[in-house]
Amino acid sequence: MNTKTFNKPYFIFALIAFSAMACILFIPKDTEASETVQSEKKVYSAHADYPVVNTVNELEEHADLIVSGKYTGNRSAYFQTDDQGEVVVRASKSEFQIEQIYKGNQPDSVITVAEPAYEDDEAIYTIEGYNLMNTFDNYVLFLGATETGAYRVVGMYQGQYQIDSDLSTQSLTSNSIETVHFEDDQKDHYSLLKQQVLDFLLEESDQSDIITE
């Protein structure tokens, strides 16, 4: 694994306190989730209280680990229940293979990432439009450490980005699956953040080419 750092100024913003188990932080504000239909599966979308950032630098400030790599295909469900035993949060714990580290230290090449979404044979459950990682794409993740050893995705959908192998030809609409569950204002916001992520990766790629020449 290669290690690089984001060499950009930090911005400070207020961050809500996170629970020890990463998935527990995804508490919906609404008791009833909205429902839509997509690809023969019902999609239940819930909202939560979470910080909305304006720049990738803000994400970096609150991330303990920033990595790129791929989801291995190994995933387990994590459900949170209320006092009556009713399931109130459906989330997932996904295995992630690290290919490169941009911030932080992680001795293991494979980590567990808590994702604020869950899918079964009949439905998709997402909080704030987050889309579960797939095995086909590469990802850049902004992650926060937890006491359990798993990592939480910082800022929910703001902390996950699909990345094509050819950065120079990637457009913000080429991976529309990223924003399939987003609301309109979230799509615009995500596009702004992803452009900053792509700019950084292109800059890092150019620097690597110079060093190897």
Side-chain angles (χ1 to χ4, degrees):
M1 293 183 296
N2 298 320
T3 301
K4 297 182 180 179
T5 59
F6 277 69
N7 186 22
K8 296 184 179 181
Y10 293 159
F11 292 81
I12 306 301
F13 74 112
L15 186 66
I16 59 175
F18 291 106
S19 302
M21 178 57 219
C23 294
I24 296 179
L25 67 93
F26 309 117
I27 307 298
K29 291 188 295 187
D30 302 326
T31 55
E32 295 184 1
S34 61
E35 179 181 332
T36 57
V37 177
Q38 178 194 353
S39 302
E40 299 182 354
K41 284 189 178 183
K42 293 181 179 179
V43 178
Y44 297 91
S45 181
H47 295 291
D49 289 317
Y50 68 103
V52 177
V53 302
N54 295 314
T55 68
V56 170
N57 292 326
E58 293 180 63
L59 279 175
E60 177 198 358
E61 170 67 11
H62 293 277
D64 298 301
L65 187 68
I66 303 174
V67 296
S68 62
K70 299 195 73 169
Y71 161 57
T72 66
N74 293 327
R75 175 175 287 141
S76 60
Y78 179 81
F79 291 170
Q80 182 186 353
T81 58
D82 60 18
D83 295 338
Q84 287 72 44
E86 295 292 331
V87 176
V88 293
V89 173
R90 290 174 172 84
S92 303
K93 291 189 289 187
S94 304
E95 192 177 79
F96 189 80
Q97 175 73 52
I98 297 175
E99 296 179 357
Q100 188 163 308
I101 297 176
Y102 299 99
K103 177 184 177 180
N105 296 296
Q106 172 51 248
D108 299 322
S109 61
V110 178
I111 60 175
T112 298
V113 176
E115 298 190 88
Y118 170 76
E119 182 175 359
D120 58 26
D121 293 337
E122 298 180 352
I124 297 171
Y125 302 84
T126 175
I127 301 177
E128 295 300 338
Y130 184 94
N131 194 54
L132 288 169
M133 292 184 289
N134 62 59
T135 57
F136 305 104
D137 293 295
N138 294 314
Y139 293 86
V140 169
L141 301 179
F142 292 75
L143 303 172
T146 71
E147 294 180 357
T148 67
Y151 286 91
R152 59 179 173 81
V153 180
V154 175
M156 301 205 183
Y157 72 87
Q158 302 168 108
Q160 182 224 82
Y161 299 88
Q162 287 183 10
I163 303 298
D164 293 343
S165 57
D166 188 352
L167 294 171
S168 62
T169 61
Q170 180 167 347
S171 67
L172 297 179
T173 59
S174 63
N175 286 319
S176 59
I177 189 63
E178 287 179 280
T179 61
V180 67
H181 306 311
F182 286 13
E183 297 177 358
D184 289 342
D185 58 339
Q186 289 177 321
K187 291 180 181 180
D188 293 339
H189 179 233
Y190 186 81
S191 293
L192 291 174
L193 291 176
K194 184 168 183 179
Q195 185 60 64
Q196 295 175 44
V197 172
L198 293 176
D199 289 344
F200 166 77
L201 293 175
L202 282 169
E203 180 180 331
E204 289 294 310
S205 178
D206 291 341
Q207 291 179 358
S208 296
D209 290 341
I210 293 174
I211 293 175
T212 56
E213 287 179 356

